[in-house]
Amino acid sequence: MTTRTATEPVPADDEVFDFNLNAVEAETELRPFRFMWASKQNPNRRLTMQHLEALNIWPLLVAAEGGDSGAMVGIFRTALGEDQWEEFQKTPLPQFKMKALFKAYTKHCGAQPGESLASSVS
């Protein structure tokens, strides 16, 4: 059994750092996106999605491994949150409505038509 020793000492908490990620703030207001999608139980059901720029990147990266469709589903799932996502899936959704919803959502979030969603996080 060998033990590994660090070649450089671990910096103390009060030492200088190269970048403070904690200080980074959004360049725009990350206002949620709200839309209405009726269910049999609630004809006025309203759902809220977090702004695209506010989404946790880790589940989006995993979802993107499934291609464009996987990425889109990952965005909706993450933006809606698990409770709303499960409720959202209970009502059948034609593709043309999903496309229209995604277009409206990305427009709300400031993504340009044809812009890669990856560019919004870079």
Side-chain angles (χ1 to χ4, degrees):
M1 178 179 198
T2 56
T3 56
R4 198 170 158 213
T5 58
T7 56
E8 294 182 26
V10 176
D13 286 343
D14 61 348
E15 287 189 37
V16 177
F17 48 84
D18 296 311
F19 181 73
N20 184 356
L21 186 57
N22 297 322
V24 176
E25 294 188 20
E27 294 178 8
T28 61
E29 179 186 1
L30 303 181
R31 190 170 53 84
F33 176 75
R34 295 176 179 88
F35 66 100
M36 186 166 32
W37 179 234
S39 67
K40 289 180 181 178
Q41 297 79 16
N42 184 355
N44 295 310
R45 178 176 64 170
R46 295 169 195 271
L47 299 163
T48 302
M49 296 172 66
Q50 291 180 49
H51 192 283
L52 184 61
E53 293 274 332
L55 300 182
N56 180 0
I57 192 67
W58 305 125
L60 300 182
L61 291 173
V62 172
E65 292 175 2
D68 289 345
S69 295
M72 185 185 299
V73 169
I75 288 168
F76 276 106
R77 182 180 203 134
T78 305
L80 286 165
E82 286 301 318
D83 290 342
Q84 285 191 109
W85 172 248
E86 286 190 26
E87 194 60 34
F88 182 63
Q89 288 185 300
K90 290 179 182 178
T91 304
L93 181 64
Q95 284 189 44
F96 74 92
K97 288 194 180 217
M98 180 61 120
K99 286 180 188 178
L101 177 60
F102 193 69
K103 182 177 179 181
Y105 174 62
T106 54
K107 181 179 178 183
H108 167 85
C109 294
Q112 299 299 318
E115 179 181 359
S116 168
L117 292 176
S119 68
S120 68
V121 294
S122 59

